[in-house]
Amino acid sequence: MKKQWSESHSHNYTESKYSMVKTSIVSFLAVGIATSLSFVLSSSPPKSFYHSLYKSNSISDNASISHDLYMLTRRPHAAGTEANAQAAAYVLSTLASFSINSHIVSYDVSLTYPISRSLVLTQPEQASEQLPVVFDLRQEIYDGDPYADAAREVLPSFHAYAKSGTVRGAVVYANYGRVEDFKRLKEMGVNVRESIVLARYGKIYRGDIVNNAFEAGAIGAIVYTDKKDYGGGGDEGWFPEAKWMPPSGVQVGSVYDGAGDPSTPGWPSIQGCERLSDDEVEKQGNVPLIPSLPVSAADGETIMRSVGGQVADADWQGSKDGPTYRLGPGPGILNLTYTGKKATETIQNVIGIIEGDEEPDRFVVVGNHRDAWTFGAVDPNSGTAALLEVARRLMKLEKRGWKPRRTIVLCNWDAEEYGLIGSTEWVEDNRQLLASRAVAYLNVDCAVSGPGFHASATPQLDRLLMQTTRQVDDPENSSQSIYESWAAAPSNSPTIERLGGGGSDYAAFVQHVGIASADISFGRGYPVYHSMYDDFVWMEKFGDPMFRRHIAVASVWGLLTLQLADEEFLPFDYLSYASELQEKAKELEDEISDRGTRLAPLFESIKKLEDAATKINQERKEMEEKRVWPWVLKRDKVKVREINDRLMMAERAFTDAEGLSGRPWYKHLIYAPSKHDDYGSNYFPGIDDAIEKAESLGTPESWHSVQHQVWRVSRAVRHVSQVLNGELT
């Protein structure tokens, strides 16, 4: 046709020639439509058909989820134990039964376990007629507990990676152990030096409570579960009659303040690898330098009754039926002894792979951890049961002819509780492949602990999260979607949090490599967290009696996976990223505008990001409008791939090879944990760290460092816009 047009161009058109050309064009279009129709009729159902089928009641299975959770939580299964190896075997065999190509990846990592613990409360010599209180440090088995025999396998309550030693000192009460709490004690003239701090769980990461105590001069730390926060205030009773933590319940956990095996920072713990010595690990600054122990609400109140001095402020007080909280020091004196052992143990990640049909070298990674401090019905095996449900439904789709466009990688991590170890070692082991091929990571930790949907994500996934939750019924009210209940309160728009904290296995993906990620759950902050009472009975009675929330999590999780794996264009939108960075930069400007720090470079870079995000959205829209023509799709296959690669790689550009100052493992310049709370975070962590230091030192040099960090972030944001534009300068 092109040649015919060329030849006739030098002649005057006759009506017949015009008619011939017109007829040819019509014929051409007719052939195109017929070809397109034939293509539709002869091909398998569209991906959207399978996506709708995935969320239907016909392939979801409450009973299977319940059974999987029951099987996974029959015994306590901390990392490195035989019981956890058996749980890994269960996950592996279940995936294999779905015909999913699965295997175990093992790492030899440094873990710690308790050998002996002792805590004795004494009064000063003038009150020597009072006998010392020797705490038994045990969680009580309740009458009729179906897990009574297995409960004896629960590790003695301890802090993983706590420093071994014996200390003796007067008690000082430090509220939640935050930096501002120790600052308040100093303002009130309370001397923390050489004391043993008593602090309560509930606001920050336990490892930071211990470290903040050390920084304030304490020689030891006791952390307890206050009845006010975990016991229901004493009005409703406690488990098994109510959901609340029993008085003897203890929240155990790690106090390691890093990610991955402490002895292999930045490289995988494969057999025979280089390892740091114990002294070198201590010098890294991520393990505590003073002994600590977790204790129950009952033991915490006993210790509190021995404390005198000033009465604590109202917001530092406990439950209404508890003792009056005072600050100390003393007169009560604690004798604390802890002895732990370090051991190199083999951990097991279970990996299942559903290979992509069109783009097998692009990975959608889906993960949950398996290891638990005790039985782990909520944390983490509600997520493990949901992961197996996702796999089960994908198997059912495969039997009906579905094949993913991109490869789906199903991951069941080990040793998360010790410090995100299994996922971190795997990411470090596969860093280059993941950096070049991973589309996104979708995490679920505690899938279900109660009602209410929660989501956290990197911002380019916001729109996808909202679209997906509109497609799934609310498990509490099937007449509305999850999105409708999620957005209902308090602001009539859903709250999507960010992934700056170190609370779960997304950390290595986002903060170390720069991979778009999301984390979802139902419920938040359940009372029996990390205690012996987080078992199947608690879940069946209080967490999710009908397992509808588990079904809903699996539906959202799987639909997110399917859309990322199957959509021709990756469903990323960086405009929300640009908008949020603009907002946070303005807040930063308001905070330090009087310090002479220029934020203009950052604002300029964010504007470039907004322009680049708008441009790539428009490119994608124009190409999507051509989808009806199969030959156009075939011709533009390379262009589609190129746009997707730009969308995929843009998140990587927020990272910097040098990492954060003093924290080089954390590469992401927008999201990282707070220096004083591993669970919390601030935007622009490098700038935030520099501001804290500058405000402490007050020197021109320190504020110059703040300006340097602003430039670093500005350069990173500019690099993101360059990746989205896909053009060399």
Side-chain angles (χ1 to χ4, degrees):
M1 279 184 64
K2 188 173 181 180
K3 186 177 180 183
Q4 289 175 344
W5 173 265
S6 162
E7 289 174 348
S8 62
H9 189 60
S10 59
H11 301 282
N12 293 325
Y13 291 115
T14 64
E15 188 173 336
S16 60
K17 285 182 178 179
Y18 176 80
S19 176
M20 180 182 68
V21 171
K22 182 177 178 182
T23 302
S24 298
I25 293 173
V26 171
S27 299
F28 177 82
L29 291 175
V31 170
I33 293 170
T35 303
S36 186
L37 182 61
S38 173
F39 176 84
V40 171
L41 292 175
S42 64
S43 67
S44 60
K47 301 291 189 184
S48 58
F49 166 80
Y50 295 109
H51 297 186
S52 295
L53 181 61
Y54 176 87
K55 65 184 180 181
S56 70
N57 293 332
S58 64
I59 68 167
S60 62
D61 193 346
N62 305 52
S64 292
I65 293 184
S66 174
H67 174 73
D68 286 336
L69 184 62
Y70 172 77
M71 294 297 291
L72 288 162
T73 58
R74 289 182 300 170
R75 297 173 62 191
H77 47 286
T81 64
E82 178 193 355
N84 198 37
Q86 291 175 355
Y90 179 84
V91 172
L92 181 68
S93 64
T94 304
L95 292 177
S97 73
F98 302 151
S99 300
I100 293 175
N101 182 18
S102 305
H103 62 282
I104 284 178
V105 181
S106 298
Y107 298 99
D108 297 330
V109 302
S110 176
L111 304 178
T112 72
Y113 302 94
I115 293 177
S116 64
R117 310 155 303 143
S118 173
L119 186 65
V120 179
L121 175 66
T122 60
Q123 297 293 337
E125 293 181 5
Q126 59 266 34
S128 58
E129 68 276 3
Q130 295 187 29
L131 293 175
V133 177
V134 180
F135 297 99
D136 64 15
L137 304 175
R138 290 187 305 173
Q139 302 184 77
E140 295 177 1
I141 297 171
Y142 61 87
D143 291 340
D145 185 354
Y147 295 100
D149 291 338
R152 294 177 175 85
E153 300 177 28
V154 172
L155 292 173
S157 53
F158 80 118
H159 281 151
Y161 301 108
K163 186 173 181 61
S164 295
T166 297
V167 291
R168 181 178 186 273
V171 182
V172 169
Y173 170 54
N175 198 22
Y176 292 105
R178 300 166 295 188
V179 169
E180 57 264 37
D181 294 326
F182 286 103
K183 181 180 179 182
R184 179 66 177 145
L185 288 173
K186 185 175 181 180
E187 291 170 350
M188 297 181 72
V190 178
N191 183 15
V192 179
R193 296 193 64 79
E194 302 301 314
S195 72
I196 294 180
V197 160
L198 176 67
R200 51 186 177 175
Y201 284 113
K203 297 298 182 184
I204 65 171
Y205 175 60
R206 70 190 73 78
D208 289 305
I209 295 175
V210 178
N211 187 59
N212 292 343
F214 169 75
E215 293 290 341
I219 57 174
I222 301 296
V223 190
Y224 73 105
T225 46
D226 196 331
K227 189 161 59 177
K228 176 183 178 181
D229 298 311
Y230 294 88
D235 297 330
E236 302 176 42
W238 50 79
F239 184 71
E241 282 72 35
K243 69 178 182 178
W244 302 105
M245 178 82 93
S248 71
V250 179
Q251 181 193 134
V252 301
S254 180
V255 288
Y256 168 50
D257 205 16
D261 182 349
S263 69
T264 62
W267 63 90
S269 296
I270 58 176
Q271 193 171 21
C273 72
E274 175 189 9
R275 294 185 185 277
L276 301 184
S277 68
D278 290 347
D279 287 343
E280 288 172 323
V281 168
E282 277 204 357
K283 289 176 183 176
Q284 292 280 310
N286 293 321
V287 294
L289 300 177
I290 57 175
S292 66
L293 269 181
V295 302
S296 66
D299 291 349
E301 287 193 354
T302 298
I303 297 169
M304 187 64 72
R305 289 188 175 91
S306 77
V307 179
Q310 302 175 63
V311 174
D313 292 342
D315 58 342
W316 285 41
Q317 293 296 323
S319 60
K320 60 185 179 183
D321 59 343
T324 298
Y325 286 11
R326 297 178 180 271
L327 303 178
I333 294 172
L334 281 174
N335 295 265
L336 163 64
T337 297
Y338 173 74
T339 304
K341 71 169 183 177
K342 293 184 177 70
T344 300
E345 299 287 350
T346 299
I347 62 169
Q348 299 176 314
N349 293 334
V350 183
I351 309 295
I353 297 175
I354 304 174
E355 188 169 349
D357 188 46
E358 298 177 56
E359 297 183 74
D361 61 341
R362 291 293 177 263
F363 309 146
V364 177
V365 187
V366 180
N368 151 268
H369 77 94
R370 179 187 66 259
D371 65 297
W373 286 120
T374 63
F375 295 96
V378 173
D379 186 6
N381 298 132
S382 61
T384 314
L387 179 69
L388 295 178
E389 169 68 5
V390 170
R392 183 179 293 108
R393 294 197 213 175
L394 294 180
M395 175 267 293
K396 292 177 180 178
L397 294 188
E398 283 191 290
K399 287 184 175 180
R400 289 164 169 81
W402 166 81
K403 292 180 181 179
R405 179 188 181 98
R406 304 178 184 92
T407 294
I408 297 172
V409 185
L410 304 169
C411 304
N412 187 227
W413 311 118
D414 202 349
E416 187 270 359
E417 296 293 3
Y418 275 85
L420 317 179
I421 292 178
S423 59
T424 299
E425 299 311 308
W426 189 79
V427 168
E428 291 173 346
D429 202 12
N430 296 279
R431 182 188 294 112
Q432 300 308 322
L433 274 177
L434 292 170
S436 61
R437 299 184 179 186
V439 168
Y441 174 66
L442 302 175
N443 189 68
V444 171
D445 192 324
C446 304
V448 177
S449 61
F453 182 77
H454 296 274
S456 303
T458 46
Q460 73 273 61
L461 295 178
D462 287 357
R463 179 180 292 182
L464 176 62
L465 273 165
M466 290 186 281
Q467 290 172 343
T468 302
T469 53
R470 284 187 172 98
Q471 301 175 53
V472 180
D473 290 344
D474 179 6
E476 321 303 326
N477 179 2
S478 60
S479 67
Q480 63 181 8
S481 68
I482 289 174
Y483 177 84
E484 288 172 307
S485 62
W486 180 28
S491 59
N492 291 323
S493 65
T495 298
I496 302 176
E497 298 184 357
R498 298 305 171 210
L499 297 173
S504 194
D505 290 302
Y506 53 76
F509 291 89
V510 178
Q511 299 158 12
H512 189 61
V513 179
I515 295 170
S517 299
D519 180 270
I520 62 171
S521 66
F522 269 89
R524 176 170 292 181
Y526 65 107
V528 297
Y529 172 68
H530 280 194
S531 77
M532 190 175 76
Y533 310 104
D534 181 5
D535 62 16
F536 188 79
V537 174
W538 190 94
M539 177 61 74
E540 224 178 12
K541 291 184 73 171
F542 306 111
D544 192 11
M546 301 300 293
F547 285 84
R548 290 173 181 157
R549 294 166 188 155
H550 283 78
I551 287 289
V553 167
S555 294
V556 174
W557 199 6
L559 281 175
L560 289 169
T561 302
L562 286 169
Q563 289 174 92
L564 287 163
D566 285 344
E567 289 296 323
E568 182 188 15
F569 289 96
L570 293 179
F572 291 179
D573 185 359
Y574 281 87
L575 277 174
S576 57
Y577 227 134
S579 175
E580 193 156 305
L581 291 179
Q582 176 76 16
E583 176 188 338
K584 298 304 175 182
K586 186 66 176 68
E587 291 176 6
L588 180 64
E589 183 180 49
D590 293 342
E591 179 185 351
I592 60 173
S593 58
D594 60 342
R595 300 290 191 169
T597 303
R598 293 180 58 251
L599 291 182
L602 180 56
F603 284 112
E604 290 169 8
S605 294
I606 294 170
K607 181 61 170 67
K608 286 185 171 67
L609 173 59
E610 181 184 12
D611 293 342
T614 301
K615 177 185 173 184
I616 198 169
N617 284 356
Q618 185 60 34
E619 286 183 65
R620 180 169 52 190
K621 181 181 178 183
E622 290 172 359
M623 291 196 67
E624 284 176 329
E625 290 171 351
K626 301 176 183 178
R627 279 183 174 182
V628 68
W629 305 110
W631 60 87
V632 174
L633 280 179
K634 186 174 181 180
R635 187 186 67 198
D636 288 347
K637 198 171 182 180
V638 173
K639 181 63 176 176
V640 171
R641 172 84 164 197
E642 189 264 341
I643 287 177
N644 282 338
D645 282 353
R646 285 150 58 192
L647 290 166
M648 178 182 74
M649 297 302 294
E651 185 71 35
R652 314 285 194 273
F654 283 117
T655 65
D656 186 287
E658 294 181 9
L660 299 181
S661 178
R663 300 189 286 163
W665 186 87
Y666 295 100
K667 310 293 186 186
H668 207 289
L669 299 189
I670 309 300
Y671 302 119
S674 165
K675 284 183 71 172
H676 302 292
D677 177 15
D678 194 60
Y679 287 159
S681 69
N682 291 316
Y683 281 79
F684 315 124
I687 300 175
D688 193 58
D689 290 351
I691 290 172
E692 180 187 349
K693 187 174 182 179
E695 288 178 339
S696 174
L697 297 176
T699 62
E701 293 79 12
S702 62
W703 282 103
H704 179 73
S705 178
V706 174
Q707 184 67 68
H708 171 63
Q709 294 299 329
V710 171
W711 277 112
R712 288 187 73 196
V713 176
S714 303
R715 288 190 288 269
V717 176
R718 178 174 174 269
H719 290 155
V720 175
S721 65
Q722 288 177 302
V723 173
L724 288 175
N725 283 325
E727 298 172 355
L728 295 171
T729 57

